Amino acid sequence: MHTSAKTIRTPILVLETPHSQLVLARRGEVWALAHLGAKCANPADCAALAEARPTGDIQGTASLETYPAFGSDRGNVGDKRGALQARHADGDVSVQWRCAAVRELPAEKGARHVALELVETKHPAFRAVQHFVAWGDCDVFETWVELSNDETGPVELSRMDSFCLEVPGLAEEFHLLSLAGQWGNEANVSESEIARGQEVVLGARSGIHDAWENNPAFFLSVGRRADEETGRVLAGALCWSGAWEIRAQHAFTHELRLNAGVANLSGPYVLDPGLSITLPTFAFTWSEAGKGPATRALHRWARAHRLPHGGALRDVLLNSWEGSRFDFTEKTFTDMMDGTRELGGELFVVDDGWFGLGEFARNDDRHGLGDWFVNREKLPRGMAYLAREARKRGLRFGLWFEPEMANATSALVAEHPDWVLREEGRPLRKGRGGDQVVLDMANPAVRDEIFRRIDAVIRETKGLDYIKWDANAEIFNAGSPYLGPAKQANLWFDYTMGVYELFARLRTAHPAIVFQACASGGGHAEYGFLGFADELWGSDNTCAQQRVFIQWGEELFYPACATACHVTAVPNHQTGRDASLKYRFDVAMSGRLGFELHPKNMTPEEIAFAKRGVEAYKRLRPVVQGGDLYRLVSPYETDRAALLFVSPDRRRAAVMVYGLGRRCNDGRSAALCLPGLNPALRYRVEEINLVESGKGLHVAASGKILGGDALASVGLVYDLRPGDDSFVLELTATRKGARA
Ligand code: DGJ
């Protein structure tokens, strides 16, 4: 435990954020989670009310224990689950905690960090430390657990959740909103009631693509289904990039049991004596006023405390992938850089295909992964030349890597066949291109070598500003040559911890580099990777119409500054659909704007429009990337989507509206009421991103100065044309507090 930790002896612990409260109360030898919700002036009342909740020893009760375990006799006997299941060195399978101490740990200004030190009553050499942090500048709590084994032999962990909430009497109705999807169709919103007696299990079982099948973040409506502005919502996000499970049970007797943690898919995790592990952070927020505040709280937390470069403004970039794929020369890239500069971009990123030598050259997806050496046949003057060329044009420079994978057809694998995940005596399953394998990230020697190679490329580039970290595989072969026979099931956890260790080393060596989290599109759109990377690539599907849905889903939990959105060519590479450049632009403006095309294929008119669009985006960038998001109209309920971003000082705002195949003369849409503005201010409303200045306005009130109060309660009437039409409004407060 931290040396400057102070021991707390009070019977009640209160952690507070601006609008919520977490109250822990001593209950016998352990602590109970007495309250998570709106602030109560007298937290002792929360403890008294929690004391009165039934936690007896029949099914239909629930432990309020902060970290309940299988075998505890404090309420979960009938249910027998909890957050942890451990088999001790002597074969005993129960855990009953005793809290030996509670400590106050040093925390950032405005935050509070407490830790409960738990000791197993029969095996005091098995211990846990449960941490809770409350952030004073946003409504988010974090919790995580460290487990340590000083028993005489290994302890087997068949359940090792980060978080568990077992509460009776919260509500008689629960609704779970989560994101589900697949390659090219990520982040679809699914929401349904958890019927009485049912348990819903969300999870990702790929080991790598951990945000496709389901995303490890959710909204749970406690009571009736919350909307954007009303209803009680518990929102949570597990910060983990491997296999995971989130379970929400609405017991027949109306207890809520909510668990979130890593998943060991092939057996219990073996924790050797003398070792400790730290389970992933679970971040959560409570809203009394619907889903909107829950989103805004998570976004603020991400910008303030999770993303490595915080809320710093992100560059407008051009990524080479859709513009050139594997087919390029130096000139392709310098031409793209010229185009990037002309468009007003700030960063040029070389995607896949720049590495691998001789027979292993990466000219397709069947060669060279792992051989992180610049291919001088394709790029004779190397990366330093390209980085210099970018600088000459005033651009920053970025590069693509896929650090965790290799091709079977690579010099790396030819030299180190035992560095690949495989099961002894079974055929090696391969992924992308029929040739891709996964490196054994549990093995420190593998990580050392990959670090050495990537670090060398970064250094030789002399000025690398951005790395796209891709991962295009699953754990196809659940075997680690490194872990040895007794610990094969540790793979799921140790692999991801190995990835984090490699990532942390790269970040420490090159702290200024901005990373993008990509895994065949949105496979790493989660807060585990977003603790190391600043942004996510949400989908390889860049079709603007479908991006409206994908970005809507992702921005439920992840902020716009971290959501990369690229304008690409039409017909779209993935869907073959057409869309006007304006529509593609307007859609990409609701996140971190970029391009993924070859500018030389754009017409002079398109270039002119795009230049104005980039200028407008740069003006709106602090509002979109650093502001509060209000969802106004859902694409899941109508034939359009509408979003509002409001700057933290509420003096600026941006509205974006996207039609989705509207029918002709289908009636007028309800006026757009804009919450979140300052009712005492007056705003100039201006439609921007018009194809022709002053023409084709969608909002007749464009150009007017209107009060924040009227904009909130009367709203703006607008016209969307049939098909896929869109518009963007910029709102700027006129004079401080003026009511002219
Ligand atoms: C998958 C990514 O999602 C794409 O954006 C691109 O980087 C390719 N990999 C390159 O192989």
Side-chain angles (χ1 to χ4, degrees):
M1 190 47 65
H2 206 280
T3 44
S4 51
K6 286 195 211 100
T7 304
I8 300 175
R9 298 189 201 282
T10 52
I12 294 180
L13 264 172
V14 186
L15 289 109
E16 288 187 328
T17 66
H19 300 99
S20 54
Q21 204 173 44
L22 184 67
V23 180
L24 308 183
R26 211 181 270 279
R27 182 179 270 201
E29 292 198 293
V30 289
W31 285 76
L33 208 156
H35 176 58
L36 166 61
K39 280 183 174 174
C40 302
N42 189 352
D45 293 348
C46 306
L49 290 167
E51 193 64 40
R53 291 186 197 257
T55 56
D57 62 358
I58 52 159
Q59 200 166 18
T61 60
S63 160
L64 293 171
E65 207 175 324
T66 56
Y67 196 55
F70 179 99
S72 157
D73 65 359
R74 297 190 189 92
N76 65 342
V77 165
D79 180 64
K80 284 202 178 52
R81 293 181 301 176
L84 181 80
Q85 209 276 303
R87 184 178 183 278
H88 300 278
D90 62 6
D92 184 301
V93 293
S94 290
V95 171
Q96 185 157 334
W97 296 120
R98 176 178 69 78
C99 183
V102 182
R103 316 259 189 215
E104 180 92 43
L105 296 179
E108 277 178 38
K109 196 164 170 271
R112 185 167 190 208
H113 182 174
V114 298
L116 312 185
E117 292 178 28
L118 307 173
V119 177
E120 211 286 294
T121 47
K122 184 172 157 195
H123 308 84
F126 183 65
R127 291 183 301 273
V129 181
Q130 186 177 25
H131 295 260
F132 290 97
V133 170
W135 291 108
D137 56 356
C138 59
D139 281 301
V140 171
F141 300 94
E142 291 179 33
T143 184
W144 69 96
V145 172
E146 294 165 58
L147 296 172
S148 53
N149 173 22
D150 280 315
E151 297 188 22
T152 50
V155 171
E156 290 180 5
L157 304 167
S158 49
R159 175 169 287 199
M160 41 200 257
D161 288 337
S162 294
F163 177 76
C164 176
L165 185 70
E166 292 192 351
V167 198
L170 263 190
E172 293 175 25
E173 197 184 328
F174 299 93
H175 300 257
L176 188 66
L177 180 150
S178 62
L179 302 179
Q182 189 37 276
W183 179 87
N185 192 4
E186 288 89 340
N188 293 272
V189 176
S190 292
E191 184 169 26
S192 62
E193 182 168 0
I194 310 173
R196 189 175 176 188
Q198 284 183 342
E199 178 165 13
V200 174
V201 182
L202 306 175
R205 293 155 191 97
S206 136
I208 293 166
H209 290 127
D210 50 78
W212 262 357
E213 182 185 357
N214 292 136
N215 189 294
F218 63 87
F219 288 153
L220 181 80
S221 296
V222 176
R224 70 161 185 79
R225 183 191 284 213
D227 57 29
E228 288 298 323
E229 293 176 339
T230 64
R232 295 174 143 198
V233 177
L234 170 63
L238 184 69
C239 306
W240 184 244
S241 310
W244 58 269
E245 235 177 54
I246 293 175
R247 300 180 298 279
Q249 185 196 23
H250 174 188
F252 177 74
T253 34
H254 294 312
E255 293 76 37
L256 169 72
R257 296 196 178 87
L258 186 69
N259 289 59
V262 303
N264 298 321
L265 299 180
S266 47
Y269 186 89
V270 179
L271 185 61
D272 273 343
L275 294 187
S276 303
I277 48 171
T278 302
L279 303 177
T281 296
F282 179 73
F284 57 103
T285 180
W286 178 271
S287 161
E288 292 276 323
K291 292 165 183 155
T295 290
R296 293 188 283 279
L298 287 173
H299 288 184
R300 285 183 186 176
W301 166 75
R303 290 190 300 260
H305 307 295
R306 189 74 197 166
L307 302 170
H309 290 101
L313 294 183
R314 311 298 199 260
D315 287 340
V316 174
L317 64 80
L318 189 140
N319 173 298
S320 67
W321 181 242
E322 285 202 13
S324 66
R325 306 248 168 196
F326 294 109
D327 187 14
F328 53 76
T329 61
E330 274 178 350
K331 176 138 178 15
T332 318
F333 290 153
T334 48
D335 285 352
M336 281 185 172
M337 289 178 197
D338 286 338
T340 310
R341 184 183 53 180
E342 188 175 6
L343 292 169
E346 297 152 317
L347 165 70
F348 174 70
V349 182
V350 170
D351 207 281
D352 199 351
W354 55 266
F355 51 90
L357 309 180
E359 60 181 303
F360 301 119
R362 178 80 169 172
N363 294 320
D364 54 40
D365 60 8
R366 296 186 303 281
H367 296 85
L369 271 188
D371 295 346
W372 302 114
F373 312 108
V374 180
N375 179 345
R376 297 263 175 172
E377 276 172 34
K378 272 168 129 173
L379 304 172
R381 284 169 280 190
M383 276 309 155
Y385 165 76
L386 287 177
R388 260 196 326 272
E389 288 300 303
R391 290 276 178 282
K392 272 193 209 160
R393 293 162 175 83
L395 302 173
R396 279 177 277 276
F397 185 66
L399 209 48
W400 178 98
F401 288 92
E402 191 170 353
E404 305 161 57
M405 279 93 221
N407 276 111
T409 311
S410 65
L412 181 77
V413 172
E415 216 178 306
H416 299 284
D418 56 329
W419 281 9
V420 167
L421 292 185
R422 59 170 80 230
E423 288 178 89
E424 195 53 42
R426 295 188 189 277
L428 181 67
R429 296 187 197 104
K430 296 180 199 151
R432 185 179 182 194
D435 192 79
Q436 195 181 43
V437 291
V438 178
L439 292 172
D440 188 354
M441 283 289 151
N443 182 347
V446 176
R447 303 197 299 263
D448 284 351
E449 181 58 19
I450 298 300
F451 172 81
R452 211 180 52 71
R453 291 183 182 197
I454 296 178
D455 181 65
V457 176
I458 296 173
R459 288 178 197 283
E460 92 185 38
T461 302
K462 295 194 181 74
L464 190 66
D465 304 291
Y466 176 100
I467 288 181
K468 174 173 174 177
W469 179 308
D470 204 348
N472 294 292
E474 324 279 330
I475 295 192
F476 310 110
N477 305 284
S480 157
Y482 171 78
L483 286 174
K487 295 209 200 95
Q488 284 302 303
N490 286 15
L491 173 66
W492 306 95
F493 187 76
D494 289 358
Y495 176 90
T496 304
M497 291 305 279
V499 170
Y500 287 166
E501 193 265 348
L502 172 62
F503 217 150
R505 269 165 90 182
L506 285 166
R507 285 214 54 85
T508 308
H510 306 283
I513 291 183
V514 167
F515 281 83
Q516 180 184 73
C518 169
S520 314
H524 270 323
E526 35 78 14
Y527 279 124
F529 246 65
L530 288 179
F532 299 92
D534 280 292
E535 63 172 34
L536 56 92
W537 179 233
S539 182
D540 282 349
N541 185 344
T542 54
C543 169
Q545 292 89 340
Q546 297 201 3
R547 273 284 179 152
V548 171
F549 290 90
I550 293 169
Q551 291 163 200
W552 177 275
E554 271 152 2
E555 290 185 5
L556 284 175
F557 303 105
Y558 309 104
C561 67
T563 307
C565 307
H566 294 177
V567 174
T568 56
V570 285
N572 182 265
H573 285 206
Q574 286 71 35
T575 62
R577 268 177 97 159
D578 211 343
S580 69
L581 183 60
K582 170 175 167 55
Y583 188 85
R584 286 175 275 152
F585 231 96
D586 288 355
V587 171
M589 280 176 86
S590 65
R592 195 278 287 136
L593 176 81
F595 295 89
E596 205 164 314
L597 42 71
H598 198 320
K600 77 165 191 229
N601 299 327
M602 295 170 84
T603 64
E605 294 72 37
E606 287 176 330
I607 298 266
F609 175 82
K611 279 168 75 166
R612 279 190 279 119
V614 169
E615 248 169 57
Y617 178 76
K618 285 182 182 166
R619 213 172 49 241
L620 290 183
R621 176 160 53 183
V623 180
V624 173
Q625 295 191 3
D628 279 332
L629 170 62
Y630 294 80
R631 287 176 292 270
L632 305 180
V633 182
S634 166
Y636 286 90
E637 290 161 13
T638 62
D639 57 3
R640 72 214 101 103
L643 300 167
L644 163 72
F645 293 91
V646 181
S647 66
D649 65 2
R650 302 202 291 168
R651 299 188 61 81
R652 301 183 60 203
V655 175
M656 290 153 196
V657 179
Y658 312 123
L660 293 157
R662 276 177 72 82
R663 288 181 294 155
C664 188
N665 276 338
D666 201 22
R668 190 171 287 287
S669 311
L672 272 184
C673 294
L674 309 183
L677 301 178
N678 184 339
L681 290 180
R682 298 186 66 76
Y683 297 83
R684 174 182 299 282
V685 177
E686 195 96 47
E687 183 168 346
I688 60 167
N689 257 9
L690 291 162
V691 179
E692 250 186 279
S693 171
K695 290 207 178 133
L697 287 174
H698 297 77
V699 176
S702 175
K704 294 204 183 327
I705 294 177
L706 298 158
D709 50 0
L711 287 164
S713 58
V714 183
L716 293 165
V717 168
Y718 62 98
D719 260 328
L720 268 183
R721 297 175 195 111
D724 302 327
D725 188 25
S726 61
F727 67 88
V728 176
L729 302 175
E730 180 175 5
L731 278 79
T732 317
T734 48
R735 279 179 291 125
K736 206 175 172 188
R739 273 196 166 277

